[in-house]
Amino acid sequence: MTIRRPFMLTSLSAALLLAGCGGSGSSGTPTSQVSTASITGTVPGTLIEALCTDGSYYSTHSTDDGSSQHPFSLTLPAGINCQLVMTTNEGQTNQIITPIRIQSNGVTSGLMNTTVAFNLGYVPLLMDRADPAFRDTNGDGVVDEPLVITPDLPEGTNLTELSQNPLDSDNDGIPNVYEDDDNDGEYNKIDDDDDNDGTADVDETDDNDRDDDGIDDRYDSDDDNDGIKDDEDDDDDNDGVRDSEDTDHDDANDTSSNTSTNYTPVSAYTLTTGRLLAAQCAMCHGTNGHSTNGWDSIAGESASETIEEMREFQSGGEDEPIMEAQAHGYSDAEIEALAAWLATQSSSEGED
Amino acid sequence: MNLSRRTLLKAMGVGAAALLSPQVLRAAALPHVVVVGGGFAGATAAKYLKMWGGLGVEVTLIEPNATYVSPILSNLVLNHQKTTDDLSFNYVNHSTQYAVNVLHDLVSSIDSANQTIALQGGSSIAYDRLILAPGIDFIDISGLDSSKVPHAWQAGEQTNLLKAQIDAMSDGDHFVMTIPAAPYRCPPGPYERACVVADYLKINRRFANCQVTVLDANANITVETAMFQAQFDGYDIAYRPNSVVQSVDSDARSVTFSENGGASQTLTADTLNVIPNQKAGKIIFDADLNSGNWAPVNPLNYESTRASNVHIIGDSQGTGQPKAGHQGNSEAKVCADGVLRSLQGLPLDPAPKTNSACYSPVSSTHATWLTAVYEYNSALGTMQLVPDAGYPAAALPSTGNYRDMFNWAGNLFADTFA
């Protein structure tokens, strides 16, 4: 059941100003990092978080301006789907975490993207766990149902209801980070052992999503959801060990480029003949040359090695008739181009 | 231990998510590429668009089903070497690893002038580039009810229906299958099926008196002719070329056909497998993107010659390249690269190559393969076999090829869905 009690709740409420950064490819800047500092005084603050489908994380706190409706502003990347979560009484025993769903023009979704600044208006968050409207079956402080709000969305703002929402695998409106997968009363974000198997999350060898946000680390632009993009973060997994000295998970050194992901931004899309040709090897040898089975991986071989092998195949010198057949399909120049590209790929499957 | 909501729904499978009615409202922020159809061609296109285009492009994949069952290897379900579960894939990796927006819905119409598509769920989506990969549709045959006489040429329920009918056969029963006129999906597939079923009935189940008849609309075995003919001889399969299906009695499991242009004759089977003639997916015809049965495209980027910014890949496209999953995956990469280049105003790759490879089981222990590389002929604007390379090339059945078949399929599946 959806909690809708806009006027019976007093104390804290908020106005959300979402400023987009459209234009020439500049992405949003996180306004702050996750803060664990508790709010002092008698008026608790509200933490506003945005989890985005590129894996990035943004957060801010509302400002106590003395009124009952504390304003806040959060800058999000333009055009990327994000889910909002709001926390009242942060860090206190009465903490309430409320994922937000937005309803507009007949669409209800937790995922929103915008290219323009707009005002969400008043968000009627619950303030007290004793409130009869508060429903929290597993006692983890996260409401059972997201709060649905109905702001007027301006042109340039979109609600996206996906069949498969990576941030919310079961589409119940509660993002993965605020689910409690092992039902131990700690939601995944703070639970160091999400599956209760005795191995800390950070040491799980099969965990490709260290911040539990639903975005695989291969694509996640902020692996630890600390608000610092991996290409600026010197400790991608927040384990206190700098990336350059961390043997388990982190990128070796990522101060200059985003090494968590293997994509080329389209704004820098380059003419790489070799890549398209090499992609035609992937059906048999795996994406980017990384085979998933007994057949050869071809990533990371030196160009001269690949060229020599292809010539051997062409001459029938290797006893591999299907490769002999395939090798006849490519010119010397094409073989050199695909070999040069494959040589740029790491021979192991990324950082794991 | 109680299951949390997330774990419970995970255990229930992705179907839970599909119950929701997805809707999208959007305005252009990033270039938006919409891919329709999540088979080998469409799923590969969506993945590679994000792998190569990254945060600079938004990609939405629209596919009605949460689970895709691969037709590749599905003949091995008929002889109990695989199950359809073994061949099932979903789009979770597209969503979580590549940030593709995944929608389980059907496209009801395309407005290529305004660059929008309407979904059956009711919403409309704007696109900058549209990639259609709807696979095949069947040409009607009088009296054919595929829920009684399966084609099993799209995998899943149809595969299991045919399997159940074969399972119910006893010694002395007659298996009859019909092969469509070329071009059809997976050129070696029907001949492969005849061999696998004959092997299963006669060798595995020791039904020495079972009869297998193949009615082929084509004048001869269309690929690997000598090899398949030798297999047919070995299994004592009755192969009848130039046999054109005229009608089917789905309850009686009988097929009426003309052989070599002669008078109609009728054959009654215990298990009847009618694979109808094929054409491009329905959406291609609805959007008036066809010429004849298929969709004409520019092979440099698979853009329709009948509508700008609409691309067609996989079995529906009409370049003359084989209609098969491996080939669809190959075309998808050329298309994805071409779309990303055009979004940047860059020239297309003037000489893309594609390739086709197909391992075909002929029993529960032996397989063959067939492979070819295609190149662009700039004078004709078409794809052609690389000349003087001996294409297509093929291999005789062996147990080594049977083992290799699973490496081939495994990496192809992963390149498409993982």
Side-chain angles (χ1 to χ4, degrees), chain A residues 108-159:
Chain A
T108 305
S109 177
L111 283 181
M112 170 204 64
N113 69 70
T114 183
T115 54
V116 296
F118 75 99
N119 195 323
L120 264 189
Y122 171 77
V123 181
L125 299 169
L126 286 175
M127 286 299 300
D128 190 346
R129 293 194 185 191
D131 191 302
F134 181 68
R135 298 274 185 281
D136 178 17
T137 310
N138 61 1
D140 64 355
V142 182
V143 297
D144 286 349
E145 301 279 347
L147 173 67
V148 177
I149 59 174
T150 56
D152 289 327
L153 297 186
E155 187 74 20
T157 303
N158 304 294
L159 292 178

Side-chain angles (χ1 to χ4, degrees), chain B residues 28-70:
Chain B
L30 294 168
H32 189 210
V33 183
V34 174
V35 181
V36 178
F40 283 93
T44 302
K47 167 177 165 173
Y48 273 76
L49 281 164
K50 284 300 284 185
M51 202 170 81
W52 289 342
L55 300 179
V57 62
E58 184 178 1
V59 176
T60 300
L61 174 63
I62 302 171
E63 156 61 44
N65 302 306
T67 301
Y68 177 78
V69 183
S70 166

Side-chain angles (χ1 to χ4, degrees), chain B residues 109-122:
Chain B
S109 66
I110 297 170
D111 179 347
S112 57
N114 292 310
Q115 301 199 174
T116 59
I117 57 174
L119 299 183
Q120 213 166 60

